[in-house]
Structure formats: structure tokens, C-alpha cells
Amino acid sequence: MTQAEHIQSIDEEHIEKVLNGIANAFKGQLRAPILRTPADVNLAFEDVTFPALDGVPLEAWFIPCEGSSKLIITNHPRGFNRYGQPAHLDPWKSMLAPAGNDIQVDFTLDYRILHDAGYNVLTYDLRHHGLSGSGNGIITSGRFEARDVVGAQRFVRSRQDLRNMTVGLFSRCLGCNSTMFALSFYPDEFTGIRCLVGAQPLSPQYYYEGQLALSGIPADRIKKLDELVKLATSFSFDQLSPREAARDVRLPTFIYQVREDLVSKPIDVQTIFDNIAAEQKDLFWIEGTTRRWDGYNYFSRDPAKMLAWFERYMS
């Protein structure tokens, strides 16, 4: 074997290792720890648990707002939990640094803002995340996680103190995908829900195209990765995308997204948004950054547009 052939062999071994690692992560999600609670932002809260539609146990916080009859139900991106993600710490820091996403995301700040705006908050860990159960043992980019979204609706209806509240949804990335799939698969579960604010919904293919580019892996290897992901999950990238499910989203919907995000493409979010069936919808692009995680932190820095959407449709 020549030196050039040896180097090429090593490169191919590296590429295969990366592709298999990504596919295997759909079966072995690294769980982020819950490092903060609402108490860290001076909020009283209740630890609650409820089953997803298929019985997977989900862990959650209920944050009451005295005198309010309005409730926001929130969830989170993949690899996060109801607290957020400690991406300023390893191993997340090392994994996320190539795209500049080695910064902490702290959703407890969001809950403080929502509470002060007059909302009760229910926030839960999706399956395979935080302290919730594991379900079918795979991440499905929202298809099975949609059952968690339904579980939250049923929990609200089961509680005497919550069932008559005006409800809005605040769903992020994987959580937003899951909500769109839930609205498509189980529309009868969402009667009376007023609106949706969605942060950065995502088709996995675009995310992994960005990841491969950052790793220096040729773009055409996305086809091989698609095959490996289907072997791991039984679903192709197309089946894991919320693009088609968005056609059944009829709630007034506000979407926001980092436009120059290094690990997605504007065409993906634009297509998802264009497919949303709601007459009342809006898309806001976050400018001036390439860090996707700045999109997750955006609400805590400048919540005005999202709060205005909730106010408009939950009054």
C-alpha cells in the first residue's frame, strides 16, 4: 500500500466512524444533567410526573402564577432538558465547539419571564432526555416524541386547577418538531389550544449536512448516513422531517430561527413555515450570528415578539 492509499484508508475509517457514531446516537442519546431549577430564579415550583400517550413516564415542573388563568406548556431541543443544556462544560463543550455552540442555554430564565408576564408554566423532559423514561429506545426527531406532547395535554386536562386554563404552546427544535407531528397525528387532543410559538424546527438531514461539513466529510456521504439512520431507527431523513406534518398545523404559529445557523439552512425552516396551514403565522429571522444556540437563548434576551404573540392569541 502506498502512502497515499494508506492516508485514504485512514480517512475512510474516520468517515465511517463518524457516520456510525451519528447513527448510533439515535439509539443512545447522551443525557444532559439538570443543573438548575426554577428556584434558582426565585420561582416556586412543583415536581410533577405524567405518562406520555404510550405510557412513557415524563418528568416535569409546574410553575404556578398566582391569580393567572393562562398556561404555557414548554419543551426543549434534542440533547437538552427542561433546564436547558450545559454546553459550556465537557463533553458538550468539546462536541459543540466547531459550530460555536459551546455556551450554556438556561431555560429557567425563560420561565421567569413567562411567569412575570402572567403565565403559569408546565415544562417537561421529552423521552430519552433529562429524567424522563426511554420509550422505544430511539430518537425519532418528533414522531414518537409527539406522544409526549399529547401526554402533557392530557395531564393539564386531568388536573382540576389547570383544565379550564387558556393554553399556549412554546416548543423548541425537537420539541417543535414533536408538536407539529402531534398536531398532525392527534389533532383531537388539541381542541381549544390557542397558539404555538416555535423555536428552530429542523429537518435532520440539514442538520447533519452541516455537521458533516464542519467535520470535513464530503457532502455526498449524507446518503450513506441516511441509510445508517434508517437501519438504526426504521425511518429515513425524509420521514423524520416535520415538513409534511406542518401542513396540519392550524394553530396561530410564530416561528423564529437563526438565519445563518451553521448547522441548518434557511430553506428548511422557510419550507416548514410555508407548509404551515394556519392563516395566522409569522416567521422571524435572528440576524448577526451563526450560532444556533443563540436562537435558544434569544427569548431570554429579547422576548417581546414572542410575548406579543401569546398576548394576542391568549387574551
Side-chain angles (χ1 to χ4, degrees), residues 89-108:
L89 304 175
D90 279 324
W92 300 273
K93 182 178 178 68
S94 297
M95 292 187 297
L96 298 168
N101 292 320
D102 50 342
I103 57 174
Q104 179 173 220
V105 177
D106 181 1
F107 292 142
T108 67

Side-chain angles (χ1 to χ4, degrees), residues 155-170:
F155 171 74
V156 169
R157 294 196 297 269
S158 75
R159 279 187 49 150
Q160 185 66 36
D161 58 337
L162 303 183
R163 65 179 56 168
N164 294 319
M165 286 192 176
T166 301
V167 178
L169 307 178
F170 187 6

Side-chain angles (χ1 to χ4, degrees), residues 255-300:
I255 300 292
Y256 62 101
Q257 168 75 40
V258 170
R259 188 191 295 272
E260 300 301 326
D261 174 13
L262 288 177
V263 289
S264 72
K265 293 181 181 177
I267 187 61
D268 183 35
V269 173
Q270 187 67 59
T271 300
I272 293 168
F273 175 78
D274 290 345
N275 285 354
I276 290 172
E279 294 182 6
Q280 303 84 16
K281 60 181 182 178
D282 198 4
L283 172 59
F284 173 69
W285 294 104
I286 300 168
E287 307 285 2
T289 180
T290 61
R291 299 195 304 192
R292 184 174 183 81
W293 270 226
D294 284 338
Y296 299 138
N297 281 323
Y298 190 81
F299 182 85
S300 64

